[in-house]
């Protein structure tokens, strides 16, 4: 196979009022993983020039199964994380905020507190 799973379709909408096809999981060491360009959460707009809009899930799966050896995907990159399986992580990788997003403001706050304390002590 191509090394990834999909969700969505007119009969199995992954996102309310959106029948698009999305990448739900990239299989480790599969073709998509080794290529490195496709990401979980990407919306697949077309495969080998065939538009995926308004397809049932099983019809989209059939297109992927019959895609052949050379596959061309037209995708739309996910702009923000979605709820559900798209946010699934493997290999111990955690979701959430990066450590720097917590440490940088915390260190700035601590430095400000020290500066205020030193200024206060000089006035006494």
């Amino acid at each position: 196979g191509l090394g990834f799973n999909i969700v969505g379709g007119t009969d199995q909408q992954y996102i309310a009022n959106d029948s698009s096809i999305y990448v739900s999981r990239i299989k480790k060491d599969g073709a998509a993983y080794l290529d490195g360009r496709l990401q979980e959460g990407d919306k697949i707009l077309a495969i080998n020039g065939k538009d995926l809009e308004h397809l049932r899930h099983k019809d989209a799966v059939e297109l992927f199964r019959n895609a052949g050896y050379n596959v061309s995907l037209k995708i739309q990159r996910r702009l923000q994380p979605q709820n559900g399986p798209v946010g699934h992580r493997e290999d111990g990788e955690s979701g959430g905020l990066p450590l720097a997003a917590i440490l940088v403001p915390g260190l700035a706050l601590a430095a400000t507190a020290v500066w205020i304390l030193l200024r206060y002590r000089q006035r006494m």
Side-chain angles (χ1 to χ4, degrees):
L2 300 174
F4 63 92
N5 294 351
I6 60 170
V7 292
T10 58
D11 57 335
Q12 297 181 17
Q13 292 183 351
Y14 177 68
I15 297 175
N17 301 317
D18 182 355
S19 60
S20 301
I21 303 295
Y22 291 88
V23 176
S24 62
R25 182 171 167 256
I26 306 279
K27 297 176 184 176
K28 189 168 179 118
D29 297 326
Y33 178 87
L34 295 172
D35 178 77
R37 291 179 284 180
L38 195 63
Q39 295 179 10
E40 291 179 0
D42 286 349
K43 181 191 288 191
I44 304 177
L45 305 174
I47 179 168
N48 293 339
K50 294 178 185 172
D51 189 10
L52 297 182
E53 191 175 18
H54 306 301
L55 286 182
R56 293 179 301 172
H57 180 79
K58 71 177 190 173
D59 295 330
V61 168
E62 198 61 30
L63 283 176
F64 284 97
R65 285 192 177 143
N66 296 319
Y69 184 75
N70 292 315
V71 178
S72 172
L73 297 178
K74 181 178 179 183
I75 63 131
Q76 180 179 347
R77 185 74 64 215
R78 170 186 58 185
L79 297 178
Q80 58 185 342
Q82 302 290 331
N83 293 329
V86 172
H88 176 72
R89 308 248 184 214
E90 293 185 16
D91 301 329
E93 182 181 348
S94 64
L97 293 173
L99 186 57
I102 298 167
L103 288 180
V104 171
L107 290 173
L109 183 60
T112 303
V114 169
W115 181 79
I116 291 171
L117 180 63
L118 291 174
R119 296 282 297 182
Y120 178 75
R121 289 180 90 189
Q122 286 178 352
R123 291 185 182 178
M124 293 177 85

